[in-house]
Amino acid sequence: MKLLHTSDWHLGHLLYGYERTEEHTAFLEQLAGIIRAEKPDAMLLCGDVFHYSNPSAASQRLYTDALLAMHEAHPSMPIIVTAGNHDSSAKLEISTNLWKYAGVTVIGRIEMRDGQPDLERHILEIKDAAGRLQAYVAAIPHVYPQNFPAMQEDLPREERQKAFIQALLDKVEERNHAGVPVILSAHMAVADGNIAPGDLQGGMEYTGLDDMGHGYDYLALGHIHCPHTFQSGKARYCGSPVPVSFEENYPHSVTIAEIERHGSMPSVRALPVHNPWPLKVVPPKAASFDEALDLLAGMPPEEKMYVQLHVRILDTPPAYCMEKANEATRGKQCRFCRFKWEHAAREKADEETLLPAQGLHACSPMEVAALYYKDKYGTDMDAAMQDMMKEALRELQTEND
């Protein structure tokens, strides 16, 4: 059984105000080409189809046209779409009945029936063109761990997610008499021994891999943008196909997973995605403002890229820095986005100035501001900044009086 695993398309995303239709169109055309070449038995789109819960008409048309093109590329291939945390489950499901004619199943939310979660709508049979059963997919849309429905009365909230997932897998196991592969898909932050929770994303709520149950042969995950195969070899984040920030400076791809039978280990391949508008940090090592600006001005006019200027400064950013950077790109294809400021290394004082908590109320606002400024920029606040600060304090005092 050959599975095409993709997620986190984030259609409609704006990068520092720049719309990205050309990039997303290029990716979707590449994906259709991959489908024609690989002939997968099924495609899983594991959440975050759109970047905004209320996507524009243009983004929705891009999505629908792309799915139709993928269906035409391989008509017997079922496509399973689940909602991510960026998606509106209601909007994603609005055309569910029509999508069935193109072999697309959309699961945006967990529904209840007779007071119990309707597990059946999450269990999908994957069949070939001749109608032979090839695999089961247990598809879970994004649900926050504490919001999963209870499988039994009085089940604590912290246990509901694990119980729901295992109940779904148990139901698949009951009917899998043919021993075909079982795929579990989900859009959530999952961690195992090879990826620490802190590496996922600051403050992100995560689930341990053990809480994802047992009985699956491949766990297709969406939500984390960096491709990653877990230590078990049975779970993988396919990653995002198009970067959404300069921090995503790693290869972007979609995943092909092949599973022979139930109980066998999957074979995984990452297929790279080419982005016609790469995100580049210029220069890679911080330079002075003037040096970085010269590099930006020297960019070939026809070269497409988003640029983050990496600049070394001593204290505050130079005056009119944004205007100067935008002027340097005039007439060029490249798009300036932002500065990455790096403060020059400075010698530490022999004795560090500390502000004890008990002494905070004894300091004037001006003294606190001066200490903060020196700690952040490594230099004393200049006279002009002091005058501005004093004027602001006077205005505040006048308002309070």
Side-chain angles (χ1 to χ4, degrees):
M1 192 271 178
K2 182 189 287 189
L3 175 73
L4 173 53
H5 172 199
T6 181
S7 73
D8 297 274
W9 291 1
H10 289 275
L11 302 180
H13 176 246
L14 298 176
L15 184 65
Y16 296 94
Y18 296 110
E19 66 91 26
R20 312 185 71 189
T21 302
E22 183 179 346
E23 296 162 81
H24 288 131
T25 300
F27 154 62
L28 294 169
E29 289 174 351
Q30 290 174 69
L31 188 55
I34 288 170
I35 291 168
R36 279 190 292 271
E38 293 283 344
K39 296 288 190 292
D41 298 307
M43 183 182 101
L44 285 181
L45 173 47
C46 301
D48 283 358
V49 178
F50 299 104
H51 189 71
Y52 303 105
S53 59
N54 188 23
S56 67
S59 297
Q60 293 179 70
R61 174 165 290 190
L62 188 63
Y63 165 67
T64 55
D65 287 351
L67 288 193
L68 290 174
M70 292 170 202
H71 174 65
E72 291 172 2
H74 188 25
S76 65
M77 178 191 73
I79 299 172
I80 301 166
V81 180
T82 51
N85 59 300
H86 279 252
D87 299 312
S88 163
S89 58
K91 287 184 181 295
L92 211 57
E93 284 194 349
I94 198 166
S95 301
T96 297
N97 291 334
L98 286 174
W99 274 126
K100 291 177 182 177
Y101 292 99
V104 179
T105 301
V106 181
I107 300 176
R109 63 190 183 278
I110 296 173
E111 291 184 352
M112 305 295 287
R113 177 174 293 184
D114 299 326
Q116 286 291 312
D118 183 6
L119 297 180
E120 291 296 332
R121 75 189 301 262
H122 299 274
I123 299 174
L124 305 167
E125 295 182 346
I126 305 301
K127 296 181 178 181
D128 63 15
R132 292 184 294 264
L133 181 66
Q134 292 183 294
Y136 284 101
V137 172
I140 305 172
H142 178 266
V143 180
Y144 289 104
Q146 66 274 14
N147 291 339
F148 272 83
M151 297 304 301
Q152 60 193 55
E153 192 174 353
D154 299 327
L155 188 68
R157 283 190 174 274
E158 62 271 17
E159 297 178 21
R160 292 180 183 180
Q161 175 183 272
K162 184 176 182 179
F164 179 90
I165 294 171
Q166 192 57 58
L168 196 58
L169 290 169
D170 288 346
K171 190 170 280 290
V172 172
E173 191 68 26
E174 289 172 6
R175 64 185 63 174
N176 189 14
H177 307 295
V180 296
V182 176
I183 295 104
L184 175 65
S185 73
H187 186 94
M188 61 177 71
V190 179
D192 72 347
N194 198 35
I195 180 169
D199 294 335
L200 293 175
Q201 188 171 320
M204 182 179 285
E205 194 168 21
Y206 74 97
T207 295
L209 185 60
D210 290 343
D211 289 337
M212 299 305 293
H214 57 83
Y216 60 82
D217 299 301
Y218 181 73
L219 172 55
L221 291 166
H223 196 35
I224 304 302
H225 289 188
C226 184
H228 169 72
T229 299
F230 285 58
Q231 285 179 323
S232 68
K234 296 170 64 176
R236 177 171 171 81
Y237 280 106
C238 59
S240 59
V242 178
V244 300
S245 73
F246 285 92
E247 285 66 40
E248 295 186 8
N249 57 347
Y250 41 76
H252 292 259
S253 58
V254 297
T255 293
I256 292 288
E258 298 184 68
I259 312 138
E260 287 188 14
R261 60 189 176 278
H262 187 37
S264 64
M265 290 294 291
S267 171
V268 172
R269 289 181 285 133
L271 302 182
V273 173
H274 169 70
N275 184 7
W277 283 89
L279 281 63
K280 294 187 178 181
V281 178
V282 178
K285 187 176 180 180
S288 70
F289 177 71
D290 289 338
E291 290 171 331
L293 205 62
D294 287 343
L295 287 172
L296 184 59
M299 292 286 181
E302 70 283 355
E303 189 169 356
K304 296 179 178 180
M305 70 175 79
Y306 296 99
V307 179
Q308 175 179 259
L309 276 190
H310 195 183
V311 177
R312 182 180 63 251
I313 56 174
L314 292 173
D315 40 64
T316 56
Y320 306 109
C321 54
M322 292 294 294
E323 290 86 345
K324 291 177 180 178
N326 285 318
E327 180 61 31
T329 62
R330 188 184 297 276
K332 299 179 184 295
Q333 287 271 22
C334 65
R335 298 167 173 174
F336 170 71
C337 294
R338 57 170 290 186
F339 287 98
K340 179 181 181 181
W341 302 113
E342 185 175 305
H343 289 87
R346 48 185 184 264
E347 295 182 2
K348 292 186 177 180
D350 292 338
E351 292 186 5
E352 202 172 346
T353 303
L354 298 176
L355 184 62
Q358 64 269 26
L360 180 62
H361 295 292
C363 295
S364 69
M366 194 66 205
E367 288 171 329
V368 174
L371 285 169
Y372 172 80
Y373 189 94
K374 185 162 187 176
D375 178 68
K376 185 172 181 63
Y377 298 112
T379 186
D380 292 325
M381 192 183 296
D382 60 32
M385 182 68 73
Q386 290 184 46
D387 290 342
M388 289 171 57
M389 188 72 188
K390 289 174 183 176
E391 179 62 27
L393 290 170
R394 279 195 296 269
E395 290 181 6
L396 182 61
Q397 185 62 47
T398 301
E399 289 180 7
N400 291 337
D401 291 342

